[in-house]
Amino acid sequence: MDQPAWKGSLAIIGEDDAAQQRQMPNLASIDLNLLVELEALLQYRNVTHAAQHVGRSQPAMSRALSRLRGMFGDDLLVRGSSGLVRTPQAERLAKMLPSVLTAIRDMLTRSFARSDTRWKATIAMPDHQALIVLPRLLPRLHECAPHLDIVTDPLLEGALRRLEQGDIDLAVGQIGTAPPGFLRRKLYADRFACLLRHDHPALEQEWSIGTFAALRHASIVSDSNDRFGQVYDGLIKLGLSDRHPIVVSNLLTAAVVIAATDLVLVVPHRVASRIAAMLPLTVIDPPVELAPYDVALIWHERSHRDLEHRWLRHEIAAAARARPERPNTKSNAAETE
């Protein structure tokens, strides 16, 4: 019975591939040190001088030349009227060797040129953390690593899996303990604060739990790890909150809405300070006790020893330590006097 035509063509392709593979040199059988000796031989065109350059004896360099001739199937260097001259094959190799050896040396060296190398880092961080970190981080990176592209991802969902798979490089968020295989570095501690428009009627009253609970709240659609829900959970436990918050898509939208309404927004204190420096808003401590929390940088051990990655982690930590802005702030004590 005849075989289909496609089966015959696949057999032919397979035979061609096998033949091509047989023709390819087996790198495992090649001493790559010979390339260093070849570089010296082609540069000096003198066995003695080449041997001195690489720290070999003259007989050892002569043996290396013999092995190279066998490897390439070419004399490489032949006698001329004023010494050894390169064959056409040697001339071609002389043009190829510098880039080949440079690539091998770059592969083995443990350094990188921040100012010259184009590279990209993807960082998962909610927009409220980006508002704190990026304004201080990006000027530092522009000066030290102008060819570094930073991509931020506002979603923390699945961050550990994405770190492990290399889809993202770093994550910034409220991460208590790094699980096995991950590492964590504390960036800073923060607490929660309230944002109200600077002429909000509530600021003229006693700032109490009752006053606070009676206000309509704005809430940001966000990952559960950001712990914004703490304040509302606390009010529910106290039996003081039966209002549903106004939900908005992101932090800056919420801030603009707060500046134009009688709503109140609860966000991390550093975030509140940053926003109040830009909009006519007042920062005030919530009248309910909320535990402070740590903002941390987390990464997978696959990137732990990478020089670029380590340098970037250092820069992010330095940017996070910068002194925060001084906003229009009112304390609970001032409000209750």
Side-chain angles (χ1 to χ4, degrees):
M1 183 176 180
D2 294 338
Q3 289 184 339
W6 61 267
K7 286 191 176 181
S9 62
L10 280 182
I12 294 173
I13 293 173
E15 291 173 0
D16 289 345
D17 289 344
Q20 188 175 26
Q21 289 179 357
R22 286 194 297 270
Q23 293 175 358
M24 294 178 64
N26 180 11
L27 291 180
S29 65
I30 297 174
D31 182 1
L32 295 182
N33 289 320
L34 288 172
L35 297 182
V36 177
E37 294 161 334
L38 175 61
E39 181 185 40
L41 285 165
L42 298 184
Q43 178 182 352
Y44 290 98
R45 307 181 198 185
N46 182 289
V47 174
T48 301
H49 293 166
Q52 293 173 347
H53 178 74
V54 299
R56 302 290 299 276
S57 66
Q58 192 273 343
M61 185 59 73
S62 294
R63 290 193 295 272
L65 177 57
S66 177
R67 293 176 63 190
L68 286 164
R69 284 168 170 166
M71 181 190 303
F72 290 103
D74 188 88
D75 288 332
L76 300 176
L77 294 170
V78 298
R79 295 189 180 279
S81 58
S82 59
L84 296 177
V85 295
R86 297 190 295 212
T87 66
Q89 171 72 339
E91 294 287 356
R92 289 189 289 269
L93 291 173
K95 294 178 180 178
M96 298 170 60
L97 266 178
S99 61
V100 171
L101 292 177
T102 297
I104 294 174
R105 288 168 181 139
D106 289 345
M107 182 175 64
L108 296 176
T109 187
R110 290 187 57 80
S111 63
F112 73 103
R114 291 189 298 268
S115 60
D116 299 329
T117 306
R118 170 68 66 180
W119 52 300
K120 183 181 79 169
T122 302
I123 307 173
M125 66 172 87
D127 64 342
H128 63 281
Q129 299 296 354
L131 187 67
I132 298 302
V133 175
L134 293 185
R136 302 183 183 115
L137 175 65
L138 295 183
R140 298 174 64 97
L141 299 185
H142 179 72
E143 180 178 350
C144 301
H147 298 297
L148 168 60
D149 297 326
I150 293 291
V151 178
T152 60
D153 183 342
L155 298 178
L156 285 176
E157 183 179 359
L160 296 182
R161 173 184 53 80
R162 291 186 289 155
L163 284 168
E164 183 178 25
Q165 295 177 353
D167 296 331
I168 58 176
D169 300 290
L170 293 159
V172 176
Q174 289 76 59
I175 302 165
T177 303
F182 295 85
L183 296 103
R184 174 187 180 277
R185 177 173 182 170
K186 177 181 173 180
L187 295 179
Y188 58 87
D190 207 350
R191 56 191 173 85
F192 287 102
C194 303
L195 275 174
L196 301 91
R197 62 183 174 89
H198 69 96
D199 55 351
H200 197 292
L203 297 175
E204 303 301 323
Q205 306 173 23
E206 178 183 357
W207 186 242
S208 63
I209 293 178
T211 303
F212 178 66
L215 297 175
R216 192 76 185 271
H217 290 251
S219 179
I220 303 169
V221 176
S222 56
D223 191 285
S224 60
N225 289 335
D226 62 24
R227 299 174 65 191
F228 285 177
Q230 274 193 64
V231 62
Y232 309 114
D233 294 341
L235 291 176
I236 292 172
K237 290 178 181 178
L238 293 172
L240 295 174
S241 178
D242 58 1
R243 297 189 177 192
H244 296 290
I246 303 297
V247 179
V248 295
S249 60
N250 59 70
L251 176 65
L252 291 181
T253 300
V256 172
V257 170
I258 293 299
T261 66
D262 286 340
L263 295 170
V264 61
L265 176 67
V266 177
V267 292
H269 192 274
R270 286 198 178 199
V271 177
S273 300
R274 183 78 181 180
I275 294 175
M278 299 183 290
L279 293 171
L281 297 169
T282 295
V283 181
I284 185 170
D285 294 334
V288 291
E289 184 177 352
L290 299 172
Y293 64 92
D294 291 342
V295 175
L297 185 66
I298 190 167
W299 62 96
H300 191 266
E301 63 181 359
R302 63 186 294 275
S303 305
H304 182 58
R305 297 187 184 277
D306 183 78
L307 290 179
E308 289 91 338
H309 201 278
R310 186 168 63 187
W311 175 83
L312 180 58
R313 297 196 305 263
H314 172 80
E315 291 299 311
I316 292 174
R321 287 194 300 269
R323 185 180 297 275
E325 297 81 359
R326 292 185 176 275
N328 180 16
T329 304
K330 301 187 78 170
S331 67
N332 288 358
E335 288 299 307
T336 56
E337 288 179 352

